[in-house]
Amino acid sequence: GGASYQAASYYTAFAYGLNLYVLIYSSNHTESRAFSSLSIKIFQVIFLILQVIMVIIPGGRGAFVLMIVYSFIAFSKLITLRNAVKLILGLLIFFLLAYVLSNVFPRLLANPIFQRGFNRAVAFIGPGGAVNWEGSSGRQPIYIESINLFKQSPVIGYGLYGYFSKVSYRGYPHNFFLEILLQGGLL
């Protein structure tokens, strides 16, 4: 999907998801107790706070959405694990994150760099929580054209970057999944 100043936002969102995964499932994947020590867990929670802030600073909208989706999936998994200890710890971490961020956020919003990133990251959220296409940097027509192109060749796509000659916009469709579907189709 191209590299830009927002790449830091996306990398951090990915690290946030990995961090949540390790917090929840580390005992399933490691024989050593290195990831289960209390000091490591505290370090991971501190990292979660920093990762939330770092996802916002560059203003990556997709990264912001990804972070929310990771959080929702992690919370859902904690509920379905049927492990009371992990559920209580998960809720404790969630409330700790919410408390810290609610106290730190107003101070961060006073910083113009953070405020600009935050405003950009949430620009696609309109009144009442609806999608605000004006806040998506005019990508709606690009998405529509990309989806229509995919519908014309859904099985094999157009080959590596073969869709470039078919689109009216320059560059990539600003969506990783659309780019993969255009290049390789469903296969």
Side-chain angles (χ1 to χ4, degrees), residues 2-10 54 57-61 117 120 137 139:
S4 69
Y5 65 94
Q6 294 176 38
S9 189
Y10 291 96
M54 191 52 213
I57 288 173
R61 290 179 287 251
R120 188 179 191 291
S137 300
R139 292 188 180 149

Side-chain angles (χ1 to χ4, degrees), residues 94-157:
F94 172 76
F95 287 119
L96 177 67
L97 282 172
Y99 176 76
V100 169
L101 287 173
S102 68
N103 287 313
V104 171
F105 227 71
R107 291 185 189 128
L108 288 172
L109 283 173
N111 180 315
I113 294 170
F114 185 83
Q115 186 179 34
R116 183 177 44 231
F118 179 76
N119 290 341
R120 188 179 191 291
V122 298
F124 66 92
I125 302 172
V131 174
N132 173 15
W133 286 107
E134 269 79 49
S136 69
S137 300
R139 292 188 180 149
Q140 184 180 20
I142 295 172
Y143 294 156
I144 290 170
E145 183 177 353
S146 298
I147 290 168
N148 288 335
L149 266 174
F150 166 71
K151 287 178 183 177
Q152 292 172 14
S153 184
V155 178
I156 60 170

Side-chain angles (χ1 to χ4, degrees), residues 28-48:
N28 296 349
H29 297 291
T30 59
E31 290 183 21
S32 82
R33 293 283 178 205
F35 283 107
S36 60
S37 73
L38 181 61
S39 59
I40 294 295
K41 297 290 185 195
I42 291 170
F43 184 71
Q44 286 177 280
V45 171
I46 291 169
F47 250 55
L48 283 176

Side-chain angles (χ1 to χ4, degrees), residues 48-124:
L48 283 176
I49 295 166
L50 295 174
Q51 288 165 332
V52 168
I53 294 167
M54 191 52 213
V55 164
I56 293 171
I57 288 173
R61 290 179 287 251
F64 184 77
V65 170
L66 186 59
M67 183 181 63
I68 300 300
V69 169
Y70 281 150
S71 299
F72 178 75
I73 290 171
F75 191 71
S76 299
K77 286 294 177 188
L78 282 173
I79 291 171
T80 60
L81 279 177
R82 298 174 199 248
N83 183 331
V85 173
K86 282 192 177 187
L87 179 60
I88 291 169
L89 285 174
L91 288 172
L92 182 66
I93 289 170
F94 172 76
F95 287 119
L96 177 67
L97 282 172
Y99 176 76
V100 169
L101 287 173
S102 68
N103 287 313
V104 171
F105 227 71
R107 291 185 189 128
L108 288 172
L109 283 173
N111 180 315
I113 294 170
F114 185 83
Q115 186 179 34
R116 183 177 44 231
F118 179 76
N119 290 341
R120 188 179 191 291
V122 298
F124 66 92

